[in-house]
């Protein structure tokens, strides 16, 4: 039914109608009826349950669309089939629904709502209707004086929840009085949201990282003062299966914004967005107070901001070149402290060589995991701006070959001191270098205190020599399941005189710990696991004077653990566990020094030797050992161990040896080990 240009019409329906009249009406359009005061009388609504589309346009005197008062008084439940509601140019409209029906009147099928040019309208939905819009796909509000989208719920709920499972398009424009989505404490979920546009809404805090201090207390009068939530909480955007872009400028979907400023955004999480390709299309995005950013499982996202639209792309290969890095000069994050990037399947680079000035300069924690295509973490020039980085975790990035690219810094001869304290690299099958060159003292990691390397089968060396020499704070070194052959690469320039050639300098790499002494003195824990290529743990020059715990497991290339000179430095060692090292013959090897001074493990309390098929003794040289604190010795499956040590041995507090689950003691440690060996051979005979 259409009613158009009825200048003197004040009412469409009387309260009393013929039975069954209008009950099958599906479409109603009312336009240009200047004197019309009301669309539906309350009692008629029961008969209009099949109405699917309602359009009300240019009715100057109209104050309300749906009169619900009588239905609410009768406590009668009515479910409407309305799918589309379009109201525009209604200068005196005060209510779309004149009361909250409290669940008695339902609009479950409403999928599209358009409201514009209604200057006296203060809100759109009563709370009970807004909470029951499971089919809503489009909500477009423009050029109205609304102060809130949903009116305050009169119920007693502490927190209201608004779930719009089908909402795809949301537009709020030229709402100059809008203060909030809902005036109470609430949450809003829109898992299918594809496009969000908010513009010229000057009174509302659009984005905020967190909603804190919702309710403040006035101590003088003890009244509760409501503090309005931001329009949207941008702490987390997740599980939006159709979202391709977070922020789009109103108008043409692919119009490029010159600049976007999110001045209150402190934290942002983008998670499980399978079609997201970018945060927005703009020439610059500034987040001056953003401190935390997490991007997880957004497989199509290769760049955070792009100033190219899909319509002006020549080909997919051109897109690859333009979107080669997640962050570039179009992103300004001057206060970002924590960055987490997880499960980004198509990401090849995190940072471009050219960045906005001061961006990322305060970042102190970076985690990168499960980025299958990632080939580089840090471009060389970025390291100058990452001096505050303290924690770095990289896991399960299959193509990654290097962590720190130092080549450009070395060429520029620029000194950089990185504040990093913790380094974790795990599950990197193609990693060849942590540092791709020895910086020769130009790049320092003086504060590095904990290093863990796990499951990096192609990594042969951990530290370049100049970096290793300056690890004065290193307290924990943990190597596990890697192809490491030596811990430190030492690069020496040597002169050679080739026949008929002038004297030249040749760079000859070889591996040793000779320049690592100072760094090792701070080490408190050393854990080495599954490193079959490792043939030397530490040479005689190494000093572990602060080491408290030593664990070596499944390192089959080791013939001995430390030399006698190194053993003398283990004055703080409290626990030693050596297990499943097939080639290990002795723990302490003679370093050739003719001095036979006592070797004292003054604080060692626990010694475990397990599954060492080649172990003959703790030490085969004639050294004297003292263990004044030793109270626990465990020996298991060491079939060739005939004696603990050849020299003088002192263990004043030891009273028992646990061997293959049994407790044994024969007066002293040497006699007990000899007895166990004899008993084992007797059983074999």
């Amino acid at each position: 039914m259409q009613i158009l240009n009825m200048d003197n019409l004040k009412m469409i329906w009387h309260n009393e109608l013929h039975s069954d009249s209008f009950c099958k009406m599906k479409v109603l359009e009312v336009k240009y009826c200047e004197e019309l005061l009301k669309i539906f009388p309350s009692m008629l609504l029961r008969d209009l349950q099949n109405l699917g589309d309602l359009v009300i346009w240019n009715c100057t005197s109209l104050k309300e669309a749906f009169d619900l008062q009588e239905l609410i008084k009768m406590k009668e439940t009515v479910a409407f089939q309305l799918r589309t509601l379009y109201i525009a140019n209604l200068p005196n409209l005060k209510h779309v629904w004149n009361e909250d029906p409290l669940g008695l009147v339902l609009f479950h099928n409403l999928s599209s709502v358009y409201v514009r040019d209604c200057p006296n309208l203060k809100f759109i939905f009563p709370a009970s209707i807004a909470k029951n819009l499971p089919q809503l796909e489009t909500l477009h509000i423009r050029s109205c004086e609304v102060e809130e989208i949903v009116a305050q719920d009169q119920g007693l709920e502490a927190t209201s929840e608004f779930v719009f499972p089908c909402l795809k398009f949301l537009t709020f424009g030229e709402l100059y009085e809008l203060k909030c989505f809902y005036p109470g404490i609430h949450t809003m979920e829109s898992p299918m949201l594809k496009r969000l546009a908010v513009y010229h809404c000057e009174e509302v805090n659009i984005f905020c990282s967190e909603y804190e201090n919702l309710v403040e207390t006035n101590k003088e009068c003890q009244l509760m003062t409501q503090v309005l939530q931001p329009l949207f909480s941008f702490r987390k955007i997740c599980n939006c299966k159709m979202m391709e872009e977070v922020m789009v400028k109103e108008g043409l979907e692919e119009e490029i914004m010159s600049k976007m400023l999110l001045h209150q955004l402190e934290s942002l999480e983008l998670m499980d967005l399978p079609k997201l390709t970018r945060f927005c299309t703009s020439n610059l995005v500034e987040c001056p107070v953003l401190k935390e950013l997490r991007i997880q499982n957004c497989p199509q996202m290769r760049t955070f901001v792009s100033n190219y639209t899909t319509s002006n792309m020549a080909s997919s290969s051109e897109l690859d070149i333009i979107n080669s890095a997640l962050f570039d000069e179009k992103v300004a994050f001057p206060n970002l402290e924590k960055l987490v990037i997880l499960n980004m399947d198509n990401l090849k680079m995190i940072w471009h060589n050219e960045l906005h000035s001061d961006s990322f300069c305060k970042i102190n924690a970076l985690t990168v995991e499960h980025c299958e295509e990632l080939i580089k973490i840090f471009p060389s020039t970025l390291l100058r701006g990452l001096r505050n980085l303290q924690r770095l975790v990289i896991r399960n990035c299959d193509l990654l070959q290097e962590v720190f690219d130092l080549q450009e810094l070395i060429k520029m001869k620029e000194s950089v001191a990185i504040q990093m304290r913790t380094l974790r690299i795990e599950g990197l099958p193609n990693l060849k270098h942590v540092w791709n060159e020895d910086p020769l003292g130009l790049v320092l990691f003086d504060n590095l205190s904990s290093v863990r390397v796990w499951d990096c089968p192609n990594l042969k060396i951990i530290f370049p020599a100049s970096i290793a020499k300056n690890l004065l704070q290193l307290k924990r070194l943990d190597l596990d399941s890697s192809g490491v052959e030596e811990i430190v690469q030492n690069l020496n320039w040597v002169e050679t005189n080739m026949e008929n050639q002038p004297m030249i300098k040749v760079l000859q790499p070889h591996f040793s710990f000779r320049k690592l002494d100072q760094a090792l003195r701070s080490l408190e824990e050393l854990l080495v696991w599954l490193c079959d290529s490792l043939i030397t743990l530490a040479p005689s020059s190494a000093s572990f004077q602060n080491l408290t715990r030593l664990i070596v497991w499944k390192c089959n290339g080791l013939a001995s653990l430390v030399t006698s000179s190194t053993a003398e430095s283990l004055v703080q060692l409290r626990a030693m566990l050596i297990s499943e090292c097939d080639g290990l013959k002795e723990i302490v090897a003679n370093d050739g020094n003719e001095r036979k001074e006592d070797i004292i493990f003054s604080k060692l309390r626990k010694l475990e030797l397990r599954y060492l098929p080649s172990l003959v003794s703790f030490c085969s040289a004639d050294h004297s050992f003292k263990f004044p604190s030793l109270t626990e010795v465990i020996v298991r499956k060491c079939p060739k161990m005939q004696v603990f040590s050849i020299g003088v041995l002192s263990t004043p507090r030891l009273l028992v040896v646990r061997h293959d689950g049994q407790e044994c003691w024969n007066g002293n440690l040497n006699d007990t080990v000899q007895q166990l060996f004899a008993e084992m051979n007797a059983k074999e005979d």
Side-chain angles (χ1 to χ4, degrees):
M1 182 168 75
Q2 290 182 316
I3 301 176
L4 310 176
N5 301 98
M6 302 288 288
D7 292 343
N8 295 312
L9 183 67
K10 294 186 177 181
M11 292 181 64
I12 299 174
W13 285 281
H14 192 272
N15 284 329
E16 296 181 7
L17 296 174
H18 190 278
S19 61
D20 297 332
S21 279
F22 305 104
C23 63
K24 293 187 177 180
M25 186 170 63
K26 295 183 178 180
V27 178
L28 173 62
E29 292 186 16
V30 181
K31 299 180 180 179
Y32 296 101
C33 297
E34 303 295 333
E35 299 295 321
L36 190 65
L37 300 175
K38 183 182 292 188
I39 300 294
F40 304 109
S42 186
M43 301 304 296
L44 178 65
L45 291 176
R46 293 175 298 178
D47 300 319
L48 293 179
Q49 296 180 33
N50 290 312
L51 183 65
D53 299 292
L54 174 61
V55 177
I56 309 172
W57 195 358
N58 289 93
C59 297
T60 306
S61 300
L62 189 70
K63 294 185 177 182
E64 59 191 30
F66 296 96
D67 178 3
L68 306 180
Q69 290 178 341
E70 291 300 319
L71 286 177
I72 294 171
K73 287 180 182 179
M74 297 171 61
K75 296 183 179 180
E76 185 171 348
T77 302
V78 179
F80 285 90
Q81 302 302 311
L82 190 67
R83 294 186 304 275
T84 302
L85 174 63
Y86 191 106
I87 55 179
N89 298 317
L90 306 177
N92 284 294
L93 185 73
K94 293 185 177 181
H95 304 285
V96 180
W97 293 270
N98 67 350
E99 283 198 24
D100 190 324
L102 303 175
L104 293 172
V105 182
L106 304 175
F107 290 82
H108 281 164
N109 291 325
L110 194 60
S111 64
S112 298
V113 176
Y114 298 88
V115 182
R116 67 179 180 87
D117 293 305
C118 298
N120 276 299
L121 188 64
K122 300 303 179 184
F123 65 89
I124 306 299
F125 302 105
S128 70
I129 289 177
K131 291 179 181 179
N132 290 282
L133 296 175
Q135 302 299 321
L136 187 66
E137 294 185 5
T138 301
L139 178 58
H140 185 107
I141 316 296
R142 179 178 174 184
S143 299
C144 297
E145 299 296 310
V146 294
E147 296 178 0
E148 55 209 37
I149 305 301
V150 180
Q152 177 79 54
D153 190 349
Q154 300 305 312
L156 299 177
E157 295 183 13
T159 302
S160 294
E161 297 180 0
F162 300 98
V163 180
F164 304 109
C166 295
L167 186 64
K168 294 180 180 178
F169 305 99
L170 181 58
T171 301
F172 297 146
E174 298 175 26
L175 306 179
Y176 295 103
E177 300 298 322
L178 182 65
K179 294 180 174 62
C180 61
F181 180 83
Y182 176 76
I185 302 173
H186 68 280
T187 62
M188 175 182 169
E189 296 182 20
S190 304
M192 299 297 289
L193 191 64
K194 186 176 181 180
R195 180 172 178 267
L196 168 65
V198 181
Y199 60 99
H200 297 311
C201 299
E202 297 173 358
E203 293 295 318
V204 69
N205 180 10
I206 299 176
F207 300 113
C208 188
S209 63
E210 293 186 63
Y211 177 42
E212 298 178 348
N213 301 321
L214 288 176
V215 180
E216 296 180 349
T217 303
N218 186 321
K219 294 182 180 179
E220 293 181 1
C221 59
Q222 295 299 311
L223 295 176
M224 303 303 287
T225 304
Q226 194 74 48
V227 181
L228 296 180
Q229 280 186 235
L231 188 59
F232 302 105
S233 171
F234 242 52
R235 183 171 180 83
K236 181 183 291 187
I237 301 174
C238 63
N239 295 314
C240 298
K241 295 178 174 57
M242 302 301 294
M243 182 178 285
E244 297 178 3
E245 194 165 346
V246 176
M247 308 276 305
V248 182
K249 187 175 181 180
E250 174 60 13
L252 296 174
E253 285 201 17
E254 293 198 338
E255 186 174 349
I256 300 172
M257 289 176 278
S258 60
K259 178 180 178 180
M260 178 179 292
L261 175 62
L262 302 176
H263 59 90
Q264 292 185 327
L265 183 63
E266 294 182 7
S267 175
L268 173 62
E269 294 184 39
L270 305 175
M271 298 173 60
D272 301 314
L273 307 172
K275 292 192 176 182
L276 188 73
T277 59
R278 64 191 107 182
F279 183 77
C280 68
T281 303
S282 177
N283 289 320
L284 179 63
V285 171
E286 285 191 55
C287 301
V289 296
L290 183 67
K291 292 184 178 180
E292 296 186 10
L293 173 60
R294 182 186 185 98
I295 306 175
Q296 178 175 350
N297 198 22
C298 301
Q300 300 304 316
M301 190 175 188
R302 285 178 288 190
T303 186
F304 192 81
V305 179
S306 177
N307 56 6
Y308 282 77
T309 64
T310 54
S311 61
N312 60 29
M313 288 292 173
S315 64
S316 60
S317 60
E318 184 178 349
L319 183 65
D320 288 341
I321 295 171
I322 292 168
N323 297 336
S324 60
L326 186 62
F327 303 115
D328 55 22
E329 76 284 354
K330 297 184 291 296
V331 174
F333 296 158
N335 285 293
L336 188 68
E337 295 177 0
K338 182 178 181 180
L339 175 61
V340 178
I341 301 172
L342 308 177
N343 302 94
M344 300 287 284
D345 292 344
N346 291 311
L347 184 66
K348 294 185 177 181
M349 291 180 64
I350 298 175
W351 285 282
H352 193 274
N353 284 327
E354 296 181 5
L355 295 174
H356 192 276
S357 60
D358 296 331
S359 268
F360 306 102
C361 61
K362 292 187 179 179
I363 190 167
N364 60 51
L366 171 64
T367 300
V368 182
E369 297 183 16
H370 295 283
C371 297
E372 305 296 330
E373 298 293 320
L374 190 66
I375 55 176
K376 182 179 289 191
I377 300 291
F378 304 108
S380 186
T381 53
L382 177 65
L383 290 176
R384 291 175 296 181
L386 293 178
R387 299 179 181 183
N388 291 309
L389 183 64
Q390 294 186 26
R391 178 179 174 85
L392 175 62
V393 178
I394 307 170
R395 294 189 178 104
N396 300 103
C397 299
D398 287 355
L399 296 185
L400 191 68
Q401 295 188 13
E402 59 191 30
V403 178
F404 297 100
D405 178 4
L406 306 181
Q407 291 178 340
E408 290 301 319
L409 286 178
I410 294 171
K411 287 180 182 178
M412 296 168 65
K413 296 183 178 180
E414 184 169 351
S415 296
V416 177
I418 311 293
Q419 302 301 312
M420 187 182 300
R421 299 182 60 82
T422 301
L423 174 63
R424 300 281 186 272
I425 51 177
E426 303 175 7
L428 307 177
N430 284 294
L431 186 72
K432 294 182 178 179
H433 305 284
V434 181
W435 292 269
N436 67 351
E437 284 197 22
D438 191 319
L440 305 175
L442 291 173
V443 183
L444 302 175
F445 289 80
D446 292 2
N447 292 321
L448 196 60
S449 63
S450 177
V451 176
R452 174 173 168 78
V453 179
W454 178 78
D455 195 19
C456 300
N458 279 300
L459 183 65
K460 304 302 181 185
I461 304 153
I462 306 297
F463 303 107
S466 70
I467 287 178
K469 286 193 297 181
N470 291 287
L471 296 178
L472 304 184
Q473 303 298 320
L474 188 65
K475 294 182 178 180
R476 179 178 176 128
L477 177 59
D478 187 348
L479 309 180
D480 188 349
S481 304
S482 297
V484 173
E485 295 177 356
E486 295 286 350
I487 311 299
V488 178
Q489 179 182 21
N490 184 21
L491 302 180
N492 286 342
W493 288 96
V494 298
E495 295 185 352
T496 61
N497 188 2
M498 298 183 182
E499 187 176 354
N500 299 323
Q501 294 292 330
M503 188 74 74
I504 62 173
K505 288 187 176 181
V506 180
L507 192 63
Q508 294 186 337
H510 66 91
F511 311 107
S512 80
F513 269 94
R514 280 178 290 178
K515 296 188 178 182
L516 195 57
D517 295 356
Q518 282 187 310
L520 294 179
R521 289 173 187 170
S522 300
L523 197 65
E524 293 181 1
E525 293 189 11
L526 178 58
L527 292 80
V528 185
W529 297 353
L530 292 161
C531 296
D532 282 347
S533 299
L534 191 66
I535 57 175
T536 302
L537 189 65
S540 58
S541 61
S543 174
F544 292 98
Q545 62 187 36
N546 285 301
L547 194 69
T548 61
R549 190 162 72 119
L550 173 62
I551 298 177
V552 181
W553 180 56
K554 286 193 174 183
C555 296
N556 294 324
L558 290 173
S560 62
L561 207 61
V562 294
T563 64
S564 54
S565 296
T566 299
E568 290 175 2
S569 71
L570 295 172
V571 292
Q572 299 295 328
L573 190 66
R574 298 173 186 270
M576 180 190 300
L577 170 59
I578 315 300
S579 178
E580 299 182 55
C581 299
D582 291 353
L584 192 68
K585 295 180 180 180
E586 57 185 342
I587 306 301
V588 178
N590 187 23
D591 59 3
N593 194 334
E594 294 183 357
R595 292 184 301 111
K596 293 295 186 288
E597 296 181 3
D598 292 347
I599 298 176
I600 304 173
F601 289 85
S602 56
K603 293 188 178 181
L604 186 66
R605 296 175 183 174
K606 183 175 182 179
L607 173 64
E608 292 189 47
L609 305 173
R610 297 175 179 267
Y611 300 97
L612 304 171
S614 301
L615 186 68
V616 175
S617 64
F618 188 82
C619 179
S620 59
D622 186 15
H623 287 287
S624 296
F625 288 94
K626 292 183 179 181
F627 298 90
S629 301
L630 188 64
T631 58
E632 185 177 2
V633 173
I634 299 172
V635 179
R636 183 173 179 82
K637 301 297 182 185
C638 300
K640 294 185 179 181
M641 191 173 182
Q642 301 180 39
V643 66
F644 188 83
S645 67
I646 296 174
V648 176
L649 178 63
S650 173
T651 59
R653 298 184 63 189
L654 185 66
L655 299 176
V656 69
V657 173
R658 282 192 280 169
H659 178 261
D660 292 347
Q662 302 293 323
E663 291 188 352
C664 309
W665 189 245
N666 191 22
N668 60 65
L669 182 54
N670 261 336
D671 288 347
T672 301
V673 172
Q674 289 173 356
Q675 178 184 331
L676 293 173
F677 181 74
E679 290 176 356
M680 184 173 54
N681 286 336
K683 288 179 182 179
E684 292 178 357
D685 294 340

